[in-house]
Amino acid sequence: MNNTIEHIFFDLDHTLWDFDKNSSLAFKMIFEKFRIHLDHTSFLSTYQPINLRYWKLYREEKVTKEELRRGRLSEAFSILGQKFSLEIIDKMAHDYIAFLPLNNHLIDGAEEVLEYLNPRYDLHIITNGFKEVQNKKLSNSGIRHYFKTITNSEEAGVKKPNPFIFEQAIKISGAKSDNSLMIGDNYEADILGAEALGLKTICFNYHQEKLPEEYLQVSKLKQLKNYL
C-alpha cells in the first residue's frame, strides 16, 4: 500500500462490530422473552443465510426496511415449523433491534487496529445498517471517538455499493477518492462499490470467500498493520 492514503473508511457490521456474536446474544433475549422453545443454534443456522439474502435484496432496493425485519424472521421460524402472528413477528423484530446494541463485542483486533491507525489517518464509517442502531453500536462499544464522520445509508438515501453513498462520504469527510481507502467484509458492497469511485480497498475476508487475486485482502484485522 502506498503512502498517499490519508483517509480510511470502515464498514461497521462484520468488519469492526461482531455482528454474529452480538446478534446471537440478542436472539437469546428474544427467545427468553417470547418463550420460544427452539434450539438456539439450529435457529441461527437457518436464520443467518435468510438474513444475508434479505440484506442483499435491501441493498438492491427490492425490499423495504420493514419487509427485511419482518420477512427474515417469518421465513426462519416457518422453516423450523413455528408459526407466529404478524403482530408477534413485528414485536420480535422491534425488540431484536432494541436488544442488538445492548451486546457490543468487537471483532478480534478491532480496537488494537483503530488505536494504531488513529494517529496516522482520518478514520470514517460507511454503513448500510439502520441509523438508530448503528449510532448506538458505535457509542456502546466504545469506538465512536475514533471516527471523524459517519455516513449512513438511510441518510444518504442509497446503500452500498451505490456510488452516491461513497460520494457523500468523501464529500462530508473532506477526503478525495485518490487519497482514500475502504475496508470492509462484503466484496460486492464494500470493495466493488468503493473501487467504482476510485478508492483503494482492502477486503476483510474473514469468511474466506474466493476473491479475484488482484484484490488485497486480510483474514485478521491485525494484518492491516502490515499494509498501513
Side-chain angles (χ1 to χ4, degrees):
M1 186 68 61
N2 61 43
N3 60 3
T4 61
I5 300 299
E6 297 177 23
H7 296 264
I8 298 178
F9 294 85
F10 276 96
D11 173 48
L12 182 58
D13 291 334
H14 302 284
T15 300
L16 296 171
W17 199 80
D18 193 337
F19 185 90
D20 290 341
K21 183 181 287 187
N22 297 321
S23 176
S24 175
L25 292 168
F27 273 120
K28 281 188 176 179
M29 297 169 73
I30 291 288
F31 277 33
E32 287 177 14
K33 178 174 178 177
F34 290 88
R35 298 181 182 178
I36 298 169
H37 302 294
L38 273 178
D39 178 68
H40 182 249
T41 305
S42 297
F43 171 79
L44 289 175
S45 64
T46 300
Y47 169 83
Q48 285 168 349
I50 293 171
N51 184 47
L52 289 174
R53 175 164 54 81
Y54 266 90
W55 270 101
K56 182 174 172 57
L57 292 170
Y58 182 65
R59 287 198 304 271
E60 295 170 351
E61 311 283 351
K62 292 177 180 175
V63 297
T64 64
K65 179 168 74 171
E66 290 72 23
E67 288 168 336
L68 181 154
R69 290 178 171 179
R70 179 183 286 171
R72 61 189 178 181
L73 287 177
S74 293
E75 280 195 34
F77 282 124
S78 180
I79 288 170
L80 294 167
Q82 298 283 314
K83 299 290 184 183
F84 296 99
S85 69
L86 212 51
E87 181 184 5
I88 295 297
I89 287 288
D90 286 344
K91 284 181 179 177
M92 287 184 196
H94 175 272
D95 285 348
Y96 173 73
I97 296 301
F99 294 162
L100 199 55
L102 299 180
N103 302 290
N104 289 282
H105 295 278
L106 296 173
I107 297 285
D108 185 48
E111 198 150 14
E112 178 183 330
V113 164
L114 292 173
E115 194 67 30
Y116 168 80
L117 295 175
N118 192 44
R120 296 167 170 81
Y121 305 92
D122 286 342
L123 305 181
H124 313 273
I125 291 284
I126 309 179
T127 174
N128 277 355
F130 306 131
K131 178 185 175 183
E132 72 273 20
V133 189
Q134 302 305 76
N135 288 336
K136 287 180 183 175
K137 290 175 184 175
L138 286 164
S139 297
N140 293 352
S141 62
I143 61 173
R144 174 65 184 86
H145 66 283
Y146 288 112
F147 301 102
K148 298 262 194 288
T149 66
I150 300 167
T151 303
N152 188 281
S153 61
E154 286 192 304
E155 293 172 312
V158 297
K159 306 163 192 72
K160 295 178 292 182
N162 190 307
F164 183 72
I165 191 170
F166 294 97
E167 288 175 6
Q168 286 290 94
I170 291 289
K171 182 179 179 181
I172 68 170
S173 66
K176 298 178 181 176
S177 295
D178 59 8
N179 70 1
S180 297
L181 169 73
M182 179 71 200
I183 299 170
D185 72 294
N186 190 294
Y187 173 66
E188 177 187 278
D190 298 315
I191 305 308
L192 295 183
E195 183 186 53
L197 205 68
L199 282 75
K200 296 175 180 65
T201 64
I202 300 179
C203 184
F204 174 45
N205 191 12
Y206 73 95
H207 25 54
Q208 300 295 300
E209 283 186 22
K210 183 70 174 173
L211 302 183
E213 290 182 6
E214 65 266 26
Y215 289 96
L216 189 58
Q217 55 187 291
V218 296
S219 58
K220 297 183 185 300
L221 285 179
K222 293 177 184 178
Q223 294 169 343
L224 291 170
K225 291 182 178 182
N226 298 331
Y227 302 99
L228 296 164

